[in-house]
Amino acid sequence: MTSPELTESVRQNGKERSLSNHTESTNPYELALQNFEAAADLLELNESDRAEIRAPERTLIVNVPVRMNDGSIRSFEGYRVQHSTARGPAKGGIRFHPGVTLDEVRALAMWMTWKCAVVNVPFGGGKGGVTCNPKEMRPEEIERLTRRYTSAILPIIGPDKDIPAPDVYTNAQVMAWIMDTYSMTRGHLVPGVVTGKPISLGGSLGRSEATARGVFHTIEAACQHLRFSLKGARVVIQGFGNAGSIAANLIDSAQAEVIAVSDSKGCVYNAHGLHIPKLMTHKEKTGSVVGFSGAEPITPEELLALPCDILIPAALENAITHTNAEKVRAKVVAEAANGPLTPEADAVLDELGVFVIPDILCNAGGVTVSYYEWVQNHQHISWDLNEVNSRLEAVMSRSFHEVLETSQERKTNMRTAANILAIRRVVDAAKLRGLYP
Ligand code: NAD
């Protein structure tokens, strides 16, 4: 599948570029800007249009001092970035991870703007994060961190301003603490300030599976477009958290074979297909997929190079770079994670003819059901699961086909098409609103 020339050079925008002996940027903000400029070039946007929507509208850096259980006080750095509110309130998750940086948060905030626009949800883009390692913290310490971080970003968040949600290593409990902290300062319950809440506190049915369900629907649509059956397809998943494990379960239920999965501790492989329900129980009990009896261990490099029909990166950014992209042996790469491919990896996969379902489309199911949660909170009603799931399926299918049509009209890949569609919608909104004052 890989031509020898490909290991040495990649054509990008008509230019031949050598991949040997050069360093590839993995700064997520630089990569987000590169993708933006490439789509803006194709849209022939002038510099004024670009300038208005390129930079984040607001960036807040906060110090988060936390009293630890041993009595000491530790300070963590936190961020909240609102990239755009042109189409609605900023919307985006909060990440607690040791690798969180301002540039990562700025990139993720920008991707949220495009993601909401690509599925036509009336939100802008935002993101937040705290540089910390929740795996080394006790639940009470995480609660104190969450509440202090919330109070630090409180002036800029709100149900009509900026609505956080869960992301890597944050969950419904963390959202409940954010909502409680915000509500206590307002003197009444404000459920719409966050999404991804526990159901009993105004969370939406179907929210916790929504990202994976959206990934699943875009994969179904890609299989239909490429004329191969999901039933019997061989699937590899990197990352077995919220997005990855639930996607594995849905794919398994569709009678595809999930042959390998990984998490931060290691990878497991079974050529005949892993028993996903048993693997989920194993992960729940032990905290990792490692040591699962129905599988053999493999390395992360081997996992990404497995011959398969569908590869789902569902962990973190930059999982596939120019150094490992050429080893990918998948027909479809479905980006459940945000930014798992560098632009150079993208170019390599393009050359290889791999059909990439870009992150802003593939994992937009989460923000779509977050929007439904917010709508239900505002109206003080709750929809049944069937209503949530059928609305989600309709949005994912419509959005996939809109991106596909754009890619066919423009003769570009799906990522560029998704960016074009999204950036066009944001530019149109900004232009119609005009420049204040
Ligand atoms: P999570 O914390 O539930 O899961 C992350 C998983 O990735 C864990 O299993 C972790 O062990 C694994 N992981 C971390 N580093 C790894 C590595 N180097 N190799 C293999 N596995 C590794 O997070 P999540 O919510 O599932 O998010 C995963 C990705 O999906 C992120 O990029 C996130 O931004 C994106 N995403 C999530 C949602 C959502 O609603 N959860 C929505 C949109 C996008």
Side-chain angles (χ1 to χ4, degrees):
M1 203 164 163
T2 314
S3 70
E5 300 91 288
L6 199 57
T7 59
E8 283 153 20
S9 67
V10 161
R11 274 189 305 280
Q12 226 182 11
N13 301 331
K15 289 181 205 134
E16 197 86 10
R17 303 213 280 136
S18 169
L19 290 184
S20 54
N21 301 327
H22 86 276
T23 41
E24 181 180 24
S25 170
T26 50
N27 177 315
Y29 191 53
E30 278 174 25
L31 304 184
L33 286 173
Q34 269 180 40
N35 277 332
F36 167 74
E37 298 299 345
D41 286 348
L42 289 169
L43 279 167
E44 297 178 5
L45 292 186
N46 61 36
E47 181 49 31
S48 307
D49 288 340
R50 294 180 198 215
E52 205 182 336
I53 63 167
R54 186 193 283 123
E57 283 175 19
R58 188 177 276 137
T59 301
L60 183 61
I61 304 175
V62 295
N63 179 37
V64 188
V66 178
R67 191 175 299 282
M68 308 304 283
N69 283 358
D70 65 6
S72 66
I73 293 175
R74 273 188 67 189
S75 270
F76 301 90
E77 189 154 277
Y79 314 97
R80 185 73 192 171
V81 174
Q82 295 168 352
H83 172 256
S84 169
T85 56
R87 299 180 67 259
K91 184 85 192 84
I94 287 176
R95 181 174 289 196
F96 289 171
H97 190 273
V100 166
T101 62
L102 179 57
D103 273 353
E104 180 184 63
V105 178
R106 290 201 293 179
L108 291 162
M110 186 188 251
W111 284 324
M112 283 306 297
T113 303
W114 314 143
K115 191 181 298 183
C116 292
V118 89
V119 285
N120 225 345
V121 159
F123 283 144
K127 202 81 182 186
V130 178
T131 315
C132 64
N133 191 349
K135 287 188 174 176
E136 290 172 358
M137 295 168 73
R138 301 290 307 149
E140 320 80 72
E141 294 169 334
I142 296 174
E143 177 175 355
R144 290 195 286 273
L145 173 92
T146 304
R147 289 187 183 278
R148 183 63 191 239
Y149 167 70
T150 306
S151 70
I153 63 166
L154 204 127
I156 67 164
I157 62 169
D160 296 312
K161 292 202 287 192
D162 181 357
I163 308 138
D167 192 69
V168 176
Y169 299 156
T170 56
N171 55 23
Q173 175 61 77
V174 172
M175 295 306 113
W177 290 328
I178 295 175
M179 184 190 75
D180 182 67
T181 307
Y182 184 88
S183 300
M184 292 310 287
T185 68
R186 293 291 179 271
H188 59 95
L189 185 69
V190 188
V193 66
V194 285
T195 58
K197 298 178 289 291
I199 305 289
S200 55
L201 286 176
S204 177
L205 292 171
R207 173 59 187 90
S208 57
E209 315 91 72
T211 300
R213 199 167 275 281
V215 170
F216 176 72
H217 290 314
T218 59
I219 288 173
E220 279 186 316
C223 290
Q224 216 172 24
H225 167 62
L226 298 171
R227 298 199 166 79
F228 73 92
S229 173
L230 181 54
K231 187 175 170 182
R234 291 159 68 79
V235 182
V236 172
I237 304 180
Q238 182 202 44
F240 205 65
N242 175 286
S245 69
I246 301 173
N249 208 23
L250 290 166
I251 284 162
D252 186 56
S253 306
Q255 295 174 22
E257 280 180 2
V258 181
I259 55 169
V261 304
S262 64
D263 61 22
S264 57
K265 298 198 178 118
C267 317
V268 290
Y269 168 67
N270 183 333
H272 305 293
L274 296 159
H275 193 294
I276 298 300
K278 282 187 187 165
L279 180 58
M280 287 177 95
T281 311
H282 175 84
K283 167 108 189 181
E284 236 165 67
K285 273 194 199 143
T286 66
S288 171
V289 298
V290 171
F292 179 55
S293 57
E296 58 183 279
I298 54 170
T299 66
E301 294 73 35
E302 286 169 333
L303 177 120
L304 290 175
L306 283 171
C308 62
D309 297 295
I310 301 157
L311 170 64
I312 308 179
L316 295 172
E317 298 93 70
N318 302 321
I320 305 178
T321 65
H322 81 270
T323 52
N324 55 7
E326 68 205 29
K327 300 196 181 104
V328 168
R329 298 281 180 279
K331 284 185 198 143
V332 173
V333 171
E335 294 185 329
N338 285 311
L341 268 61
T342 62
E344 295 188 1
D346 228 3
V348 174
L349 295 190
D350 232 12
E351 284 286 304
L352 290 169
V354 178
F355 186 86
V356 176
I357 311 172
D359 47 8
I360 62 169
L361 169 66
C362 189
N363 68 36
V367 78
T368 303
V369 175
S370 273
Y371 167 58
Y372 298 159
E373 181 174 328
W374 181 81
V375 168
Q376 292 169 76
N377 293 158
H378 272 247
Q379 299 185 349
H380 305 282
I381 53 168
S382 71
W383 299 345
D384 64 28
L385 184 59
N386 196 31
E387 176 151 13
V388 173
N389 284 346
S390 55
R391 281 175 185 263
L392 172 64
E393 184 170 2
V395 165
M396 295 311 297
S397 165
R398 186 200 68 218
S399 305
F400 180 91
H401 287 102
E402 284 177 351
V403 174
L404 185 63
E405 274 162 33
T406 307
S407 88
Q408 288 166 341
E409 275 163 28
R410 297 266 185 173
K411 299 194 171 28
T412 62
N413 62 24
M414 289 286 279
R415 182 181 319 282
T416 307
N419 285 335
I420 286 175
L421 196 67
I423 292 169
R424 179 81 271 161
R425 285 177 177 158
V426 177
V427 170
D428 286 351
K431 277 197 163 162
L432 285 166
R433 286 180 61 165
L435 188 62
Y436 177 87

